[in-house]
Amino acid sequence: MPRADKLLLLDTASLYFRAFYGVPDKVTAPDGSPINAARGLLDMIAKLVTLYEPTHVVACWDDDWRPQWRVDLIPSYKEHRVVEVVPAGPDVEEVPDPLEAQIPLIRQTLGALGIPIIGVAEHEADDVIGTLATHATMPVDIVTGDRDLFQLVDDSRNIRVIYTARGMSNLEIVTDAVVVSKYGVLPGQYADFATMRGDSSDGLPGVAGVGEKTAATLLQAHGDLVGIRQAAEAGEGMSAGVRSKILAAADYLDVAPTVVAVAPDLDIVAPSDPLRPLDPAEVDAATELAEKWNLGGSMTRAVAAIATIDG
């Protein structure tokens, strides 16, 4: 029986960073080049395709990891990760040299497997994922270590997050109930929750003095950030102390929701053709690439996993 249609969206940078730090760097290419991230990503793909049985797979890409339009709204956005400011283009992110060197190889391996890479100028992979998930006509599994993408979880549309924060051996399937259990808010409220809480890893300050518990309580009472701000302005439904904190953060709250929300309507379309088993010539090409770079069994396992897909 053919598999039921399912779209697997990879937050690619999130995965190859995890692979880089999770796979020992002792194994190298014949010329001594690092390959741990490339090998690790291939093993991740093999596991994900085997476990979750997608028919369609997209590697979502950060064409701009720190879009200027987000920085214009919140200058501290990801500022601590910048190693070089580029006035005419994306700033240079702090990436370990041995990982940076592997990114072209990672793109080659994805191409060898027939997995399309989709990025959009001036947008992050999160935005690509947001658009593809929003417009998908089939169930969607989003693979990421980024909590921000919890805002896309939607049981009614069969959109889940496969959360990698605890490692590939301990994947967590995030559904509506999981978000409610963890944070006390619905997935549709998560972006407002994250806006108030803030996130030091993204340079988002949040509302000073408002943590996760208070943010959740406010959302439970008022529904969304608009309702919370209206209640604060009216002096209703919260303590005087919380009200003063919300009002003091007005400038931040005017712009932060736009930064935190993923883009739902970029001009992209998910590939309509399912991922398919490689033909003999493509298997030979993938094998040659693996031999050239000492990718070993990692490529073999990825090819074998894709061979089980029957679109």
Side-chain angles (χ1 to χ4, degrees), residues 13 16-17 61-71 76-86 89-95 100 120-127 146 201-203:
Y16 65 60
F17 265 93
W61 204 265
D62 284 319
D63 274 16
D64 190 337
W65 68 279
R66 187 176 184 249
Q68 188 60 45
W69 58 271
R70 282 192 165 107
V71 176
S76 62
Y77 182 66
K78 297 186 177 180
E79 185 177 33
H80 58 294
R81 300 191 219 168
V82 176
V83 293
E84 181 184 346
V85 175
V86 181
D91 293 334
V92 178
E93 183 180 12
E94 182 179 13
V95 178
E100 184 75 34
V120 175
E122 300 179 358
H123 286 83
E124 302 172 55
D126 284 10
D127 300 311
D146 185 352
S201 68
D202 280 340

Side-chain angles (χ1 to χ4, degrees), residues 261-283:
V262 298
D265 289 308
L266 298 179
D267 187 18
I268 49 176
V269 178
S272 57
D273 293 334
L275 192 63
R276 57 170 179 77
L278 275 59
D279 65 32
E282 291 165 335
V283 171

Side-chain angles (χ1 to χ4, degrees), residues 1-306:
M1 290 288 294
R3 293 181 180 181
D5 283 350
K6 182 194 287 186
L7 175 60
L8 186 72
L9 299 176
L10 307 178
D11 183 2
T12 315
S14 171
L15 296 180
Y16 65 60
F17 265 93
R18 177 163 293 281
F20 176 76
Y21 288 109
V23 177
D25 59 4
K26 295 177 182 178
V27 179
T28 61
D31 66 358
S33 299
I35 56 168
N36 57 328
R39 288 186 67 153
L41 182 60
L42 285 168
D43 282 330
M44 288 177 177
I45 289 169
K47 180 169 184 173
L48 292 164
V49 169
T50 300
L51 273 180
Y52 301 111
E53 300 189 332
T55 52
H56 298 67
V57 181
V58 176
C60 302
W61 204 265
D62 284 319
D63 274 16
D64 190 337
W65 68 279
R66 187 176 184 249
Q68 188 60 45
W69 58 271
R70 282 192 165 107
V71 176
D72 289 343
L73 294 173
I74 299 182
S76 62
Y77 182 66
K78 297 186 177 180
E79 185 177 33
H80 58 294
R81 300 191 219 168
V82 176
V83 293
E84 181 184 346
V85 175
V86 181
D91 293 334
V92 178
E93 183 180 12
E94 182 179 13
V95 178
D97 289 343
L99 173 55
E100 184 75 34
Q102 295 179 68
I103 292 175
L105 174 60
I106 287 169
R107 292 183 68 98
Q108 281 185 272
T109 59
L110 291 168
L113 296 173
I115 296 174
I117 299 170
I118 298 181
V120 175
E122 300 179 358
H123 286 83
E124 302 172 55
D126 284 10
D127 300 311
V128 175
I129 291 168
T131 293
L132 294 178
T134 297
H135 295 279
T137 57
M138 64 186 75
V140 178
D141 282 343
I142 299 163
V143 188
T144 185
D146 185 352
R147 294 182 298 174
D148 286 343
L149 290 169
F150 291 176
Q151 65 187 272
L152 295 171
V153 170
D154 187 344
D155 285 3
S156 69
R157 298 193 57 234
N158 289 310
I159 299 174
R160 314 183 298 181
V161 165
I162 310 301
Y163 192 45
T164 64
R166 294 186 295 175
M168 290 299 293
S169 61
N170 196 13
L171 296 169
E172 181 178 12
I173 297 177
V174 179
T175 60
D176 287 11
V178 172
V179 176
V180 171
S181 175
K182 282 179 176 287
Y183 303 107
V185 300
L186 295 166
Q189 298 172 305
Y190 188 85
D192 286 347
F193 172 81
T195 294
M196 287 188 285
R197 175 196 62 202
D199 188 341
S200 59
S201 68
D202 280 340
L204 296 174
V207 176
V210 172
E212 290 193 354
K213 185 175 180 180
T214 300
T217 300
L218 289 169
L219 285 165
Q220 290 162 10
H222 304 289
D224 59 19
L225 193 50
V226 172
I228 292 168
R229 298 187 71 184
Q230 288 174 343
E233 289 164 4
E236 300 172 349
M238 64 190 72
S239 69
V242 171
R243 175 177 182 263
S244 68
K245 292 168 184 173
I246 296 295
L247 294 176
D251 289 346
Y252 168 75
L253 292 175
D254 284 344
V255 296
T258 302
V259 174
V260 173
V262 298
D265 289 308
L266 298 179
D267 187 18
I268 49 176
V269 178
S272 57
D273 293 334
L275 192 63
R276 57 170 179 77
L278 275 59
D279 65 32
E282 291 165 335
V283 171
D284 288 345
T287 302
E288 183 179 342
L289 181 67
E291 290 174 350
K292 177 180 178 180
W293 290 98
N294 193 27
L295 299 175
S298 299
M299 179 66 85
T300 304
R301 286 185 286 274
V303 170
I306 290 170

